[in-house]
Amino acid sequence: MSHNPQGERSQGEVAGLQDLEVPTAEMRDMFGMAWSGLEHYAQMLAEEGQLRGLIGPRELVNSAAVVPFLPRHGSVADLGSGAGLPGVVVALSRPDLEVTLIEPMERRCAWLELVAEELDLDNVRVWRGRAEEMRERFDVVTARAVANLSKLTRMASPLIAPGGVLLALKG
């Protein structure tokens, strides 16, 4: 945790959590009406993400990076959604898109359903299963920490509609 030179502890430190980045006005403007939902989601992850085994103690994710690459309308599948990154961020930022969160683990699906309900995301569907079992096709398939790129491409290809794209967030 970072040390505050004035000796005061942030709200995250009081709760025993990592400090969350203080948003700039530019960040708030970028997300517009979705900002309050994103802020609530970040707080949910900070409070419960590590406890539920969804994210590591120092994991940093820039899920907002996919938003500019999304179509004007259509469907998005977040493959191996886990904690909901980037799928929940996409759903909050783009309520005009139908987002399917694909996740094989029951405890993660329970988390995703809780998030969708608490954030009132009418455009989200949680589908419990493996990518190979899904028979639908999507305009965009996103994936973050599923597999190496060659394996991910093989897994995601059957899910991508003609003319669709795979947005892989890889380091």
Side-chain angles (χ1 to χ4, degrees):
M1 274 184 227
S2 61
H3 175 69
N4 185 325
Q6 284 82 24
E8 297 174 5
R9 291 173 19 172
S10 72
Q11 185 178 20
E13 290 173 322
V14 170
L17 306 172
Q18 281 184 294
D19 285 321
L20 298 178
E21 181 179 343
V22 177
T24 64
E26 186 177 80
M27 288 171 64
R28 290 176 184 270
D29 290 344
M30 180 175 133
F31 288 104
M33 291 177 43
W35 180 256
S36 65
L38 288 166
E39 196 168 40
H40 186 98
Y41 175 56
Q43 189 63 40
M44 289 176 75
L45 279 174
E47 290 172 358
E48 299 182 43
Q50 188 175 359
L51 175 69
R52 291 177 179 252
L54 300 168
I55 58 174
R58 298 179 189 269
E59 184 173 2
L60 299 175
V61 180
N62 187 4
S63 296
V66 301
V67 174
F69 298 101
L70 296 172
R72 291 180 189 251
H73 53 78
S75 60
V76 176
D78 184 22
L79 187 57
S81 196
L85 299 167
V88 171
V89 175
V90 169
L92 283 163
S93 302
R94 294 289 307 278
D96 55 315
L97 296 174
E98 292 300 318
V99 179
T100 300
L101 307 176
I102 301 172
E103 173 57 49
M105 294 182 66
E106 185 174 355
R107 69 180 169 86
R108 291 180 179 165
C109 286
W111 162 259
L112 294 169
E113 288 168 355
L114 171 70
V115 168
E117 183 180 331
E118 192 161 320
L119 298 177
D120 198 27
L121 294 174
D122 296 335
N123 62 331
V124 168
R125 172 178 63 138
V126 177
W127 190 81
R128 183 172 178 233
R130 298 172 51 81
E132 298 84 0
E133 300 165 342
M134 174 61 82
R135 296 293 172 241
E136 293 179 48
R137 292 192 169 221
F138 302 88
D139 300 308
V140 176
V141 174
T142 64
R144 187 177 57 85
V146 175
N148 68 44
L149 197 53
S150 62
K151 184 176 181 180
L152 174 60
T153 303
R154 288 190 305 274
M155 292 170 65
S157 292
L159 302 176
I160 302 171
V165 297
L166 169 62
L167 293 177
L169 282 75
K170 294 300 211 180

